[in-house]
Amino acid sequence: MLFAVNMDVRIPADLDPQVKADTIAREKAYSQQLQKSGEWRHIWRCAGQYSNLSIFDVADNERLHEILWNLPLFPYMDVQVTPLAQHPSDIALSTD
Amino acid sequence: MLFAVNMDVRIPADLDPQVKADTIAREKAYSQQLQKSGEWRHIWRCAGQYSNLSIFDVADNERLHEILWNLPLFPYMDVQVTPLAQHPSDIALSTD
Amino acid sequence: MLFAVNMDVRIPADLDPQVKADTIAREKAYSQQLQKSGEWRHIWRCAGQYSNLSIFDVADNERLHEILWNLPLFPYMDVQVTPLAQHPSDIALSTD
Amino acid sequence: MLFAVNMDVRIPADLDPQVKADTIAREKAYSQQLQKSGEWRHIWRCAGQYSNLSIFDVADNERLHEILWNLPLFPYMDVQVTPLAQHPSDIALSTD
Amino acid sequence: MLFAVNMDVRIPADLDPQVKADTIAREKAYSQQLQKSGEWRHIWRCAGQYSNLSIFDVADNERLHEILWNLPLFPYMDVQVTPLAQHPSDIALSTD
Amino acid sequence: MLFAVNMDVRIPADLDPQVKADTIAREKAYSQQLQKSGEWRHIWRCAGQYSNLSIFDVADNERLHEILWNLPLFPYMDVQVTPLAQHPSDIALSTD
Amino acid sequence: MLFAVNMDVRIPADLDPQVKADTIAREKAYSQQLQKSGEWRHIWRCAGQYSNLSIFDVADNERLHEILWNLPLFPYMDVQVTPLAQHPSDIALSTD
Amino acid sequence: MLFAVNMDVRIPADLDPQVKADTIAREKAYSQQLQKSGEWRHIWRCAGQYSNLSIFDVADNERLHEILWNLPLFPYMDVQVTPLAQHPSDIALSTD
Amino acid sequence: MLFAVNMDVRIPADLDPQVKADTIAREKAYSQQLQKSGEWRHIWRCAGQYSNLSIFDVADNERLHEILWNLPLFPYMDVQVTPLAQHPSDIALSTD
Amino acid sequence: MLFAVNMDVRIPADLDPQVKADTIAREKAYSQQLQKSGEWRHIWRCAGQYSNLSIFDVADNERLHEILWNLPLFPYMDVQVTPLAQHPSDIALSTD
């Protein structure tokens, strides 16, 4: 089941630089683990923004929440979730 | 070059039903042609909305505009365009 | 899987009264059928608004979209979808 | 009398961790007490958000305010209140 | 139980003048009947706007919705509802 | 001359508790003095919010500003001012 | 007593041209009469907009509403009203 | 003197096709005349939108308003105006 | 050339009181100097707000920016700028 | 390929003055280097704002993001990106 997720990151200017670097490193490792397992299908940087657009393929809402809630950068993020469905124009569905 | 595009469709209630059906049919054919050619990489329905989230892979801004401007439903759409770049956490970039 | 859905209805002032009455009657029948089958768990009127807050319990995003897209009043609605998960404070989860 | 309440939690990044943990624990106990007494009918997590959607069944506006005002996390919340009424399509009302 | 209600009126420019005049007359009669019965406690014009701010004193959410839903101008209104409670600084509550 | 005023209070989390308690006490005394003098006609709590809706009856804009500017909590408030006029449906105006 | 008023004009595209021309002519005459009487102190065009910023000097809120409500273009306007007071930096108040 | 101007075009769906085509042709001729005279310095299409971003170099606000007000498509546009000044980092100003 | 400027002041709660008092005093002197020279034509307090509405009469955009950028309170302000033009209904323009 | 970029700068009030001055100096040098290389085609100050409107001419989205991400003031900026295309009315395209 697919979800589009926009994540806007706003790290406080006074966050300890070591904590910041460590959190970003853990975020990257966490994301890559989920990409490899297939649940985090796409991650793109929004050009000129500290934001990404991601596509998740998960079993249900519970799993989506579990993944996002445990993002190391979650406390510094604004998150928008859009549940996705198949589009009738998608050629993957076409039998023409 | 990738772009995320959100399209919200608002067809006027008094549009001639035949014109409406014809426009939607042409929209589908147009979209599928571009999906087959590889420029319209993904199209998802936003669940519960007359909207889609699409990913385009085009040569440049000119081509993106040409594609969107010629959508049969373009006159009835609100469109949002987000240019995308590679994300540093994307495993496709990783050499670890 | 639960979703909260807000539906705001805006019927055009010039809609044919018979079409309007018929559409509202079909909407009610459609809703009650889904309530009886268990997928439309709750429907509340937002006081003072031509709006409702509903809770759906469906198999996945596809089914949610199918239900909403086929609402007789769908062409006249603004719809907001919020995927829900279990809350850690929910006593239904508690083993204390 | 039913109310839908959205609570968005924004805990300051520099809040003392012990104070934070204690406040969250008190919030959970407070919520569960009201769930058991029947006034806090539903609590759902909004997937991917530090937010919940709750349904309260209270005697009146005064009681709703008293409950919300005394939430341990209230100083860190943005709260939206929607008074609810019976929906004419609700099968609980139907005599068909 | 008190509610503040903001009503913004937007009558379509092409509404039949006789229908418009009749609807406004019925709105006035309806409002005055509820003012006399004590449920519509205050009605003020927002200066420079086709809007009013009203205070209702009703038994519950159901009654509030019933009153607003049956406003002759309801189909042309944007309505905002704010449930009110006693304020701790209100001198009506003071025993000092 | 009547004005509706919405006051949203946002006290910084790190305000000294003694200063906070003192400011809130002075706010209450200030409000009650103006209620007794007749200029602060109504004050209601917006249920579930650290906000109030108030009605002022003052000589002119200057006096309204003077009252609001000197609120002890003014530095922590977002304030919205709506000038009010008599509504043609107000039964206080009716000679029917 | 001074008020700043922003008026945004949105004349429907299908308004009868003669009615439109007549309404605009009456609007101009109405405005100029009030400018001459001193109540409509300033009127400026917002560059590039079908909008104006005006300053009114009126006895009270009632008179402001009466003036605005009777604008020939009022049914086609979005109006914003800001009550003004003397600014402590205004040299007209200075005795230095 | 420079101004950035965003123009969003929303032509009503029921505009006569001949009137529409004629208006668009006159808009193009009008724009090109001002480009040639040097007052309309840049015009770019916002990709995927029926919108443009333009830079004007005009004598003053009056002239800017005169140009925009007389755009053949002006009745169908939402216009945003941003007055521009020299930026201290502009190399055209640099004497380094 | 006229501009309307809205200035909303948000002084941080933890600003040193002496710095704050000094900045406000310099702001007043700065404003009064420009009022006397004729460039700052009007300054009004928005009633109930730490905001003002001002009218500037300056040579060009550069001068407007220079004035605003050097406001002692500029770092604590949200500023909105509206370029103004003569209104065709202004009696100052009338030769009737 | 052209992009319009709006940058709003919000430097925290408590940033060390030396760090602030150094960051602004590096921002200027960085911008001027890119202006000289031709990628940063225009930079204008938005009058009365700590904001600029810039036009970039870059190879692709990747390069745009790289430039913006490395702005010394990037952590303190809100950035909006608009991809631009040729406008059909642009005289540079005309063969008339």
Side-chain angles (χ1 to χ4, degrees):
Chain A
M1 212 167 65
L2 299 179
F3 292 87
V5 179
N6 291 273
M7 308 179 203
D8 293 306
V9 184
R10 295 178 188 271
I11 297 177
D14 58 357
L15 188 66
D16 179 84
Q18 187 54 47
V19 171
K20 179 177 169 179
D22 179 60
T23 307
I24 292 173
R26 288 190 295 120
E27 177 84 11
K28 183 174 181 176
Y30 180 87
S31 170
Q32 295 197 331
Q33 181 178 22
L34 288 161
Q35 290 177 60
K36 286 170 189 160
S37 72
E39 289 183 305
W40 196 323
R41 287 262 292 262
H42 297 283
I43 180 169
W44 297 289
R45 176 66 80 204
C46 302
Q49 314 284 340
Y50 196 170
S51 305
N52 73 69
L53 170 64
S54 290
I55 306 293
F56 288 88
D57 184 358
V58 292
D60 54 20
N61 293 348
E62 296 297 334
R63 179 59 183 151
L64 178 72
H65 182 67
E66 184 183 41
I67 288 173
L68 296 175
W69 184 264
N70 290 300
L71 289 163
L73 286 171
F74 185 78
Y76 313 119
M77 281 181 175
D78 285 335
V79 176
Q80 280 185 298
V81 173
T82 306
L84 301 176
Q86 289 181 322
H87 194 283
S89 298
D90 190 338
I91 54 172
L93 307 180
S94 183
T95 60
D96 298 348
Chain B
M1 211 166 65
L2 299 179
F3 292 87
V5 179
N6 291 272
M7 309 180 202
D8 293 307
V9 184
R10 295 178 187 270
I11 296 177
D14 57 359
L15 189 66
D16 178 84
Q18 188 54 48
V19 171
K20 180 176 169 179
D22 178 60
T23 306
I24 291 174
R26 287 190 295 119
E27 177 84 11
K28 184 174 181 174
Y30 179 86
S31 170
Q32 294 195 332
Q33 181 177 22
L34 289 161
Q35 290 177 61
K36 286 170 190 161
S37 73
E39 289 183 306
W40 197 323
R41 288 261 293 261
H42 298 283
I43 180 169
W44 297 291
R45 176 67 80 203
C46 301
Q49 314 283 343
Y50 196 170
S51 305
N52 72 70
L53 170 65
S54 290
I55 307 293
F56 288 89
D57 184 359
V58 292
D60 54 20
N61 293 347
E62 296 297 335
R63 179 60 183 150
L64 178 72
H65 182 68
E66 184 184 40
I67 289 173
L68 296 175
W69 185 264
N70 290 301
L71 288 164
L73 285 170
F74 186 79
Y76 312 119
M77 281 180 174
D78 285 334
V79 176
Q80 279 185 298
V81 174
T82 305
L84 300 176
Q86 290 180 321
H87 193 283
S89 298
D90 190 339
I91 55 172
L93 308 179
S94 183
T95 60
D96 297 350
Chain C
M1 211 167 65
L2 299 179
F3 293 87
V5 179
N6 291 272
M7 308 179 203
D8 293 306
V9 184
R10 296 178 187 271
I11 297 177
D14 58 359
L15 189 65
D16 178 83
Q18 187 54 46
V19 172
K20 180 176 168 179
D22 178 60
T23 306
I24 292 174
R26 287 190 295 118
E27 177 84 12
K28 184 174 182 175
Y30 179 86
S31 170
Q32 294 196 332
Q33 181 178 22
L34 289 161
Q35 290 177 61
K36 286 170 189 160
S37 72
E39 289 183 307
W40 196 324
R41 288 263 291 263
H42 297 283
I43 180 168
W44 297 290
R45 175 67 78 206
C46 301
Q49 314 283 341
Y50 197 169
S51 305
N52 72 69
L53 170 65
S54 290
I55 307 293
F56 289 89
D57 186 359
V58 292
D60 54 20
N61 293 348
E62 296 298 334
R63 179 60 183 150
L64 179 72
H65 182 68
E66 184 183 41
I67 288 173
L68 296 175
W69 185 264
N70 290 301
L71 288 164
L73 286 170
F74 185 78
Y76 312 120
M77 280 181 176
D78 285 334
V79 176
Q80 279 184 299
V81 174
T82 305
L84 300 176
Q86 289 180 322
H87 194 283
S89 298
D90 190 337
I91 55 172
L93 308 180
S94 183
T95 60
D96 298 348
Chain D
M1 211 166 66
L2 299 179
F3 292 87
V5 179
N6 291 273
M7 308 180 203
D8 294 306
V9 183
R10 295 178 188 271
I11 297 178
D14 58 358
L15 188 66
D16 178 85
Q18 188 55 47
V19 172
K20 179 176 169 180
D22 179 60
T23 306
I24 292 173
R26 288 190 294 120
E27 178 84 12
K28 183 174 181 174
Y30 179 86
S31 171
Q32 295 197 331
Q33 181 177 21
L34 288 160
Q35 290 178 60
K36 286 169 190 161
S37 73
E39 289 183 306
W40 196 324
R41 289 260 293 261
H42 298 283
I43 179 168
W44 297 289
R45 177 66 80 204
C46 301
Q49 314 283 341
Y50 197 170
S51 305
N52 73 71
L53 170 64
S54 291
I55 307 293
F56 288 89
D57 185 359
V58 292
D60 54 19
N61 293 346
E62 296 297 334
R63 179 58 184 151
L64 179 72
H65 182 67
E66 184 183 41
I67 287 173
L68 296 175
W69 185 264
N70 290 300
L71 288 163
L73 286 170
F74 185 79
Y76 312 119
M77 281 180 174
D78 285 334
V79 176
Q80 280 184 296
V81 174
T82 305
L84 301 176
Q86 290 180 322
H87 194 283
S89 298
D90 190 338
I91 55 171
L93 307 180
S94 183
T95 61
D96 298 349
Chain E
M1 211 167 66
L2 299 179
F3 292 88
V5 179
N6 291 273
M7 307 180 203
D8 293 306
V9 184
R10 296 179 187 272
I11 297 177
D14 57 0
L15 189 66
D16 178 84
Q18 187 54 46
V19 171
K20 178 176 170 180
D22 179 60
T23 306
I24 292 175
R26 288 190 296 118
E27 177 84 12
K28 184 174 181 175
Y30 179 86
S31 170
Q32 294 196 332
Q33 179 178 22
L34 288 161
Q35 290 178 60
K36 286 169 189 161
S37 72
E39 288 183 307
W40 197 324
R41 287 262 292 262
H42 298 283
I43 181 168
W44 297 289
R45 175 68 78 205
C46 301
Q49 314 283 342
Y50 196 169
S51 306
N52 72 70
L53 170 64
S54 290
I55 306 293
F56 288 89
D57 185 359
V58 292
D60 53 21
N61 292 347
E62 296 297 335
R63 179 60 183 150
L64 178 72
H65 182 67
E66 183 182 42
I67 288 173
L68 296 175
W69 185 264
N70 290 299
L71 288 163
L73 286 170
F74 185 78
Y76 313 119
M77 281 181 175
D78 285 334
V79 175
Q80 280 185 298
V81 174
T82 305
L84 300 176
Q86 289 181 322
H87 194 283
S89 297
D90 190 338
I91 54 173
L93 308 179
S94 183
T95 60
D96 298 348
Chain F
M1 211 166 66
L2 298 179
F3 292 87
V5 179
N6 290 273
M7 308 179 203
D8 293 307
V9 183
R10 296 179 187 270
I11 296 178
D14 58 359
L15 189 66
D16 178 84
Q18 188 54 47
V19 171
K20 179 176 170 180
D22 179 59
T23 306
I24 291 173
R26 287 190 295 118
E27 177 85 11
K28 184 175 182 174
Y30 180 85
S31 170
Q32 295 197 330
Q33 181 177 22
L34 288 161
Q35 290 178 62
K36 287 170 188 159
S37 73
E39 289 183 307
W40 197 323
R41 288 261 293 261
H42 298 282
I43 180 169
W44 297 290
R45 176 66 80 202
C46 301
Q49 314 283 341
Y50 196 170
S51 305
N52 73 71
L53 170 64
S54 289
I55 307 293
F56 288 89
D57 185 359
V58 293
D60 53 22
N61 293 348
E62 296 298 334
R63 179 59 183 150
L64 179 72
H65 182 68
E66 184 183 42
I67 288 173
L68 296 175
W69 185 263
N70 290 299
L71 288 164
L73 286 170
F74 185 79
Y76 312 118
M77 282 181 174
D78 285 334
V79 176
Q80 279 184 298
V81 174
T82 305
L84 301 176
Q86 291 180 321
H87 194 283
S89 297
D90 190 338
I91 54 172
L93 307 180
S94 183
T95 60
D96 298 349
Chain G
M1 209 166 68
L2 299 178
F3 292 87
V5 179
N6 290 272
M7 308 179 203
D8 293 307
V9 183
R10 295 178 187 272
I11 297 177
D14 58 359
L15 189 66
D16 178 84
Q18 188 53 46
V19 171
K20 179 176 169 180
D22 179 60
T23 306
I24 292 174
R26 287 191 296 118
E27 177 84 11
K28 183 173 182 175
Y30 179 86
S31 170
Q32 294 196 332
Q33 180 178 23
L34 288 161
Q35 289 178 61
K36 285 170 189 161
S37 73
E39 288 183 307
W40 197 324
R41 287 261 292 262
H42 298 282
I43 181 169
W44 296 290
R45 176 66 79 204
C46 301
Q49 314 283 342
Y50 196 170
S51 305
N52 73 70
L53 170 64
S54 290
I55 306 294
F56 289 88
D57 185 359
V58 293
D60 54 20
N61 292 348
E62 297 297 335
R63 179 58 183 151
L64 178 71
H65 182 68
E66 183 183 44
I67 288 173
L68 295 175
W69 186 264
N70 290 300
L71 288 164
L73 286 170
F74 184 79
Y76 312 119
M77 281 181 175
D78 284 333
V79 176
Q80 280 185 296
V81 174
T82 306
L84 301 176
Q86 290 180 323
H87 194 282
S89 297
D90 190 338
I91 55 173
L93 308 180
S94 182
T95 59
D96 298 349
Chain H
M1 209 166 66
L2 299 178
F3 292 87
V5 179
N6 290 272
M7 308 180 202
D8 293 307
V9 183
R10 295 179 186 270
I11 297 177
D14 58 358
L15 189 66
D16 178 84
Q18 188 53 47
V19 171
K20 180 176 168 179
D22 179 60
T23 306
I24 291 174
R26 287 191 295 118
E27 178 84 11
K28 184 174 181 174
Y30 179 85
S31 171
Q32 294 196 332
Q33 180 177 23
L34 288 161
Q35 290 177 61
K36 286 171 189 159
S37 73
E39 288 183 306
W40 197 324
R41 288 261 292 262
H42 298 283
I43 180 168
W44 297 289
R45 176 66 80 204
C46 301
Q49 314 284 341
Y50 197 170
S51 305
N52 73 70
L53 170 64
S54 290
I55 306 293
F56 288 89
D57 185 359
V58 292
D60 54 20
N61 293 349
E62 297 297 334
R63 178 60 183 151
L64 179 72
H65 182 68
E66 184 183 42
I67 288 172
L68 296 175
W69 185 264
N70 290 301
L71 288 164
L73 285 170
F74 185 79
Y76 312 119
M77 281 181 175
D78 284 334
V79 176
Q80 279 184 298
V81 174
T82 305
L84 301 176
Q86 290 180 322
H87 193 283
S89 297
D90 189 339
I91 54 172
L93 307 179
S94 182
T95 59
D96 297 350
Chain I
M1 209 166 67
L2 299 179
F3 292 88
V5 179
N6 289 273
M7 308 179 203
D8 293 307
V9 183
R10 295 179 188 270
I11 297 177
D14 58 359
L15 189 66
D16 179 84
Q18 188 53 47
V19 171
K20 179 176 169 180
D22 179 59
T23 306
I24 291 173
R26 287 191 295 119
E27 177 85 11
K28 183 174 181 174
Y30 179 85
S31 170
Q32 295 197 329
Q33 181 178 21
L34 288 161
Q35 290 178 60
K36 286 171 189 160
S37 74
E39 289 183 305
W40 196 325
R41 288 263 291 261
H42 298 283
I43 180 169
W44 297 291
R45 176 66 81 203
C46 301
Q49 314 284 341
Y50 196 170
S51 305
N52 73 70
L53 169 65
S54 290
I55 306 294
F56 288 89
D57 184 0
V58 293
D60 54 20
N61 293 348
E62 296 298 334
R63 179 58 183 151
L64 178 72
H65 182 68
E66 183 182 43
I67 288 173
L68 296 175
W69 185 263
N70 290 299
L71 287 164
L73 285 170
F74 184 79
Y76 312 119
M77 282 181 175
D78 285 334
V79 176
Q80 280 184 298
V81 173
T82 305
L84 301 175
Q86 290 180 322
H87 193 284
S89 297
D90 190 338
I91 55 172
L93 307 180
S94 181
T95 60
D96 297 348
Chain J
M1 211 167 65
L2 299 179
F3 292 87
V5 179
N6 290 271
M7 308 179 203
D8 293 307
V9 184
R10 295 178 187 271
I11 297 177
D14 58 358
L15 188 67
D16 178 84
Q18 188 53 47
V19 171
K20 179 177 170 180
D22 179 59
T23 306
I24 292 173
R26 287 190 296 119
E27 177 85 12
K28 183 174 182 175
Y30 179 86
S31 169
Q32 295 196 330
Q33 182 178 22
L34 288 161
Q35 289 178 61
K36 285 170 189 161
S37 73
E39 288 183 306
W40 196 324
R41 286 263 291 263
H42 298 283
I43 181 169
W44 298 289
R45 176 66 81 204
C46 301
Q49 314 284 341
Y50 196 170
S51 306
N52 73 70
L53 170 64
S54 289
I55 306 294
F56 288 89
D57 185 359
V58 292
D60 54 21
N61 293 348
E62 296 298 334
R63 179 59 183 150
L64 178 71
H65 182 67
E66 183 183 43
I67 288 173
L68 296 175
W69 185 264
N70 290 299
L71 288 164
L73 285 170
F74 185 79
Y76 312 119
M77 282 181 174
D78 284 335
V79 176
Q80 281 184 298
V81 174
T82 306
L84 301 176
Q86 289 180 323
H87 194 283
S89 298
D90 190 338
I91 54 172
L93 308 180
S94 183
T95 59
D96 297 348

